[in-house]
């Protein structure tokens, strides 16, 4: 059958929207410095900028820039304690978005695979 089924077209529209929603996550995760920050935060409940800078070859301003991108992607949360801001991983929402994107993609592949139901 050459024409796409309505189910596939609707799913492709859905997966396109999901891909757009996941783009900030992909962007944030693509950089090795941000990956390092995430790994630091998997080992510590929370860290402030100075503590992250101590564990990184990057400057304070560079780390602050990377933290901003991670926050915009909703991968981190922050809490102000006195004059310091402490960052911690907050990945449940992004993980759900990514899982949803993958599930929709798998459904499209299944529908387009010959012999699949």
């Amino acid at each position: 059958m050459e024409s796409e089924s309505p189910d596939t077209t609707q799913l492709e529209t859905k997966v396109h929207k999901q891909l757009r929603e996941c783009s900030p996550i992909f962007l944030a995760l693509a950089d090795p410095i941000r990956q390092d920050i995430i790994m630091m935060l998997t080992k510590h409940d929370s860290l402030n900028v100075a503590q992250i800078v101590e564990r990184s070859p990057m400057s304070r301003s560079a780390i602050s820039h990377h933290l901003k991108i991670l926050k915009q992607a909703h991968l981190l949360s922050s809490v102000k304690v006195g004059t310091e801001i402490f960052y911690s991983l907050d990945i449940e929402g992004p993980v759900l978005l990514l899982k949803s994107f993958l599930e929709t993609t798998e459904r499209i592949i299944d529908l387009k695979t010959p012999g699949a139901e």
Side-chain angles (χ1 to χ4, degrees):
M1 201 186 257
E2 288 296 316
S3 66
E4 294 185 23
S5 70
D7 288 341
T8 304
T9 303
Q10 288 175 345
L11 285 174
E12 287 173 348
T13 301
K14 180 178 179 180
V15 81
H16 186 257
K17 180 177 181 269
Q18 290 172 323
L19 182 57
R20 296 262 186 216
E21 291 171 348
C22 291
S23 289
I25 301 165
F26 293 135
L27 175 71
L29 295 175
D31 186 274
I33 298 301
R34 293 191 286 273
Q35 293 167 10
D36 291 346
I37 292 170
I38 288 172
M39 294 311 298
M40 284 179 215
L41 291 169
T42 62
K43 296 175 184 166
H44 304 276
D45 286 339
S46 66
L47 294 170
N48 64 25
V49 175
Q51 292 168 323
I52 295 169
V53 169
E54 286 172 9
R55 295 165 170 81
S56 170
M58 304 299 289
S59 68
R60 185 179 181 96
S61 63
I63 292 297
S64 293
H65 171 74
H66 288 293
L67 289 169
K68 177 183 173 189
I69 292 169
L70 290 167
K71 275 197 75 170
Q72 288 172 339
H74 304 287
L75 293 163
L76 300 182
S77 60
S78 61
V79 169
K80 190 168 185 173
V81 179
T83 59
E84 289 293 331
I85 298 173
F86 286 84
Y87 296 89
S88 56
L89 284 180
D90 187 14
I91 61 170
E92 293 81 10
V95 166
L96 290 175
L97 280 174
L98 292 169
K99 280 184 177 180
S100 223
F101 167 69
L102 290 173
E103 288 167 2
T104 305
T105 302
E106 287 173 342
R107 287 179 58 207
I108 291 169
I109 291 168
D110 288 345
L111 287 171
K112 288 188 170 192
T113 303
E117 304 211 23

